[in-house]
Amino acid sequence: MNAEEIAAGRERWQARYDAARKRDADFTTLSGLEVDPVYGPPPGADVPGFERIGWPGEYPYTRGLYPTGYRGRTWTIRQFAGFGNARQTNERYKMILGAGGGGLSVAFDMPTLMGRDSDDPQALGEVGHCGVAVDSAVDMDVLFDGIDLAATTTSMTISGPAVPVFCMYLVAAERQGADLSTLDGTLQTDIFKEYIAQKEWLFEPEPHLRLIGDLMEYCAHNIPRYKPLSVSGYHIREAGSTAAQELAYTLADGFGYVELGLSRGLDVNLFAPGLSFFFDAHVDFFEEIAKFRAARRIWARWLRDVYGATDERALWLRFHTQTAGVSLTAQQPVNNVVRTAVEALAAVLGGTNSLHTNALDETLALPTDESAEIALRTQQVLMEEIGVTNVADPLGGSWYVEALTDRIEAEAEEIFAKIKSMGSDGTITSGILRGIEDGWFTGQIAEAAFVYQQALEKGDKRVVGVTHHTGTVTKPLEILRISHEVELEQRKLLAGRRGERDKAAVDAAISRMVDVARTDANIVPAMLDAVRVEATLGEICDALRAEWGVYREPARF
């Protein structure tokens, strides 16, 4: 790009920056030096390839979605939390919000993630252990008691039974008197990554995609601010993938959901802004920053050039980040505070829109109040003390960061080409389904994990406190333990609700929902009706399992 084009770009950025709202804050260094809101090539310089870097708030969005960067709005502190029953988790949410958290992110227990009630035989010993137990809309009422859902953005990390859980959230908001059309939040819903990495599925891929398509339609028409899909790379990376694989598989899944929306006759300019992403921030600082920058650039180009989006917001890749759970160690767990801070800083320098920081004790148990507060304060130190919010994309133009960004993008494009080649009709969706069926994704991730493990065992890669510097004076941590009484109490509450509700109304509502499942009509309204009469999550999912069957992963050797 020549000097005149670069100068014209800076003028466009300046006009947009001047017109945008900025925070009332001090944007000087600790020593009081004034800093510019963005930096770029010196006047008169020709910079070949600068169009791939550009300016913040301008296509291809390598440097961020907004001309102001974090001067306009900081990232949302969205701490992921859930344990025990709804009452206990409600108390943790109020602590997070009261301590400065900007939004909520719900962690569900394993029975809920698998669409099982707390009294299901398969739930035995798992209730409340890895998240909160939610059996019916009443649990959602308790979970958000005293929390205004109309004024609080809420993310829910659940995929297999995402749609019935979302219906419970809507009913809880309805009972609070909220205008449902104004709700704002994110539902994970991403079923592709379950088949690829996390393995928490209910049905075969086709009925799952039907549910997701129904959800996308319902939100587009009724709750336009709500994001019905958070396409998740986090679990792909936690399973052992490389950074480029995480990026490529996640964006490919996103392209698959774009194709799903288009197949439903939805306008890409209207539904694409409702797609968001969820990435891992691992411990390799610069690689992670490059990954996030490449993600924005790839998404914008594909949405414009492949899927025909013309609205700027449809080209924006908005993403939440969580620091890498897999990087944390049970040995010398206090070291995890350092790892988490570095990973969080990478996410911020990569332009994340919201962020969760892991607690130091999460390899051992769910976080205690103290460790959860340390995780929250980590973000607040980054936001308030170190000056990282003063300049948009401060690493833009770094030879190393730009080279890494280009390299990760090129690797991702090679993977997209491979996925498309596996399909039967030239679509990304067809290639993803074939890759799931053949075990290609799981094989690639397993190979990457194996290579890394070999490097650890040879000493080429190091983990402080585990492979090196293993001596310590630290003492064992006090950890959070979930009492068996939580499960007994939840089962008792559930039995009481079943005895108090109108069983005939429940049976009729579930029957109507199954009837709708046999047609092409949208299933969400019928599911909402079932939730309103206190049908449980397990009852809804079991009815659909009986109708659609369950998915069993083929054995591979």
Side-chain angles (χ1 to χ4, degrees):
M1 183 177 280
N2 62 40
E4 290 78 14
E5 292 170 320
I6 292 172
R10 178 180 274 279
E11 288 181 11
R12 289 193 305 271
W13 168 82
Q14 188 70 57
R16 297 183 73 173
Y17 177 83
D18 291 343
R21 181 182 299 175
K22 272 77 74 177
R23 292 184 294 117
D24 182 13
D26 173 25
F27 297 121
T28 64
T29 70
L30 193 63
S31 302
L33 298 178
E34 295 285 344
V35 295
D36 293 337
V38 75
Y39 289 83
D46 292 340
V47 182
F50 188 73
E51 67 277 1
R52 293 170 54 76
I53 301 172
W55 301 94
E58 185 170 288
Y59 182 91
Y61 308 105
T62 309
R63 305 193 69 185
L65 303 181
Y66 310 110
T68 54
Y70 292 131
R71 284 196 180 198
R73 178 183 175 183
T74 58
W75 67 92
T76 299
I77 298 176
R78 190 182 301 281
Q79 289 299 93
F80 185 48
F83 65 94
N85 58 32
R87 175 184 49 77
Q88 292 170 307
T89 299
N90 174 262
E91 292 169 359
R92 176 65 62 86
Y93 288 165
K94 288 175 178 174
M95 185 207 84
I96 290 170
L97 293 173
L104 298 176
S105 182
V106 184
F108 297 96
D109 70 0
M110 186 57 69
T112 305
L113 292 171
M114 299 305 296
R116 303 282 177 183
D117 287 336
S118 295
D119 58 0
D120 188 300
Q122 294 189 45
L124 185 64
E126 295 291 341
V127 175
H129 279 268
C130 68
V132 63
V134 171
D135 292 312
S136 74
V138 172
D139 286 315
M140 282 289 188
D141 294 337
V142 176
L143 187 63
F144 296 114
D145 180 50
I147 298 169
D148 184 358
L149 289 177
T152 306
T153 61
T154 303
S155 170
M156 293 186 285
T157 300
I158 193 164
S159 293
V163 180
V165 167
F166 175 68
C167 289
M168 292 176 187
Y169 162 80
L170 291 185
V171 169
E174 196 174 69
R175 290 171 178 172
Q176 287 186 0
D179 177 356
L180 299 190
S181 67
T182 67
L183 293 180
D184 192 0
T186 304
L187 189 67
Q188 189 165 98
T189 316
D190 176 12
I191 204 62
F192 282 142
K193 62 91 176 170
E194 298 295 346
Y195 300 116
I196 290 172
Q198 197 174 21
K199 313 300 184 183
E200 292 169 359
W201 55 67
L202 274 65
F203 318 114
E204 296 278 349
E206 287 76 11
H208 262 308
L209 290 176
R210 177 259 172 89
L211 276 176
I212 293 171
D214 286 354
L215 179 68
M216 291 171 67
E217 282 184 356
Y218 188 85
C219 288
H221 295 146
N222 299 285
I223 318 175
R225 292 174 60 193
Y226 197 87
K227 290 162 275 297
L229 257 168
S230 175
V231 190
S232 177
Y234 186 85
H235 309 88
I236 292 169
R237 190 65 178 282
E238 294 286 293
S241 77
T242 66
Q245 287 172 332
E246 177 197 357
L247 174 62
Y249 298 170
T250 307
L251 293 189
D253 290 350
F255 299 148
Y257 295 124
V258 170
E259 292 172 356
L260 175 62
L262 292 172
S263 74
R264 291 295 189 102
L266 298 175
D267 182 345
V268 68
N269 290 310
L270 296 179
F271 77 79
L275 302 178
S276 66
F277 289 80
F278 174 24
F279 288 114
D280 196 300
H282 218 300
V283 78
D284 191 311
F285 186 67
F286 291 105
E287 183 175 59
E288 295 305 292
I289 294 167
K291 178 186 73 180
F292 299 133
R293 299 171 85 252
R296 278 192 298 269
R297 187 158 76 200
I298 293 169
W299 183 256
R301 184 176 66 251
W302 274 67
L303 265 287
R304 186 190 70 175
D305 298 346
V306 178
Y307 297 113
T310 55
D311 186 276
E312 181 180 57
R313 293 175 65 84
L315 308 182
W316 289 355
L317 182 141
R318 300 176 186 81
F319 67 97
H320 172 72
T321 310
Q322 180 173 338
T323 56
V326 75
S327 73
L328 306 183
T329 64
Q331 300 93 325
Q332 300 181 26
V334 175
N335 296 343
N336 294 332
V337 176
V338 181
R339 295 185 179 100
T340 294
V342 169
E343 293 162 359
L345 182 57
V348 169
L349 290 173
T352 192
N353 302 104
S354 64
L355 178 62
H356 165 88
T357 33
N358 288 328
L360 65 95
D361 50 0
E362 289 195 49
T363 54
L364 302 168
L366 293 169
T368 63
D369 286 347
E370 181 180 8
S371 66
E373 181 178 89
I374 293 170
L376 174 64
R377 295 289 184 245
T378 299
Q379 292 203 48
Q380 291 168 331
V381 169
L382 296 181
M383 186 179 290
E384 306 290 349
E385 294 189 22
I386 70 171
V388 77
T389 62
N390 291 349
V391 178
D393 189 35
L395 293 179
S398 156
W399 292 338
Y400 180 40
V401 170
E402 299 300 349
L404 268 179
T405 302
D406 290 346
R407 181 170 179 176
I408 289 175
E409 179 182 18
E411 285 188 45
E413 288 291 345
E414 290 177 4
I415 294 171
F416 298 147
K418 172 63 177 176
I419 291 171
K420 285 191 76 172
S421 74
M422 292 190 294
S424 59
D425 59 6
T427 65
I428 286 287
T429 303
S430 176
I432 292 170
L433 292 174
R434 181 60 185 269
I436 292 168
E437 180 183 347
D438 291 350
W440 181 79
F441 291 104
T442 52
Q444 293 293 303
I445 294 170
E447 178 63 23
F450 179 64
V451 168
Y452 175 69
Q453 186 62 32
Q454 283 185 310
L456 275 181
E457 293 181 10
K458 290 177 182 176
D460 298 335
K461 300 292 184 185
R462 297 184 170 204
V463 178
V464 172
V466 179
T467 64
H468 294 76
H469 311 295
T470 54
T472 183
V473 297
T474 60
K475 296 179 175 60
L477 295 175
E478 289 292 326
I479 62 174
L480 177 67
R481 301 184 187 277
I482 304 301
S483 167
H484 180 57
E485 294 300 317
V486 168
E487 180 168 331
L488 297 179
E489 180 185 355
Q490 186 69 17
R491 291 164 66 99
K492 182 178 178 180
L493 287 171
L494 180 56
R497 290 176 204 157
R498 285 203 177 105
E500 294 168 359
R501 66 187 183 174
D502 184 339
K503 182 65 163 56
V506 172
D507 292 343
I510 290 178
S511 179
R512 284 194 299 272
M513 182 192 72
V514 172
D515 288 342
V516 173
R518 294 169 178 162
T519 72
D520 293 331
N522 194 301
I523 200 171
V524 174
M527 196 174 286
L528 272 169
D529 287 340
V531 168
R532 288 186 182 108
V533 294
E534 292 302 319
T536 68
L537 179 64
E539 289 167 342
I540 291 170
C541 293
D542 284 346
L544 294 176
R545 286 185 183 99
E547 183 66 24
W548 290 333
V550 296
Y551 177 71
R552 301 193 187 281
E553 188 174 34
R556 298 182 182 92
F557 301 94

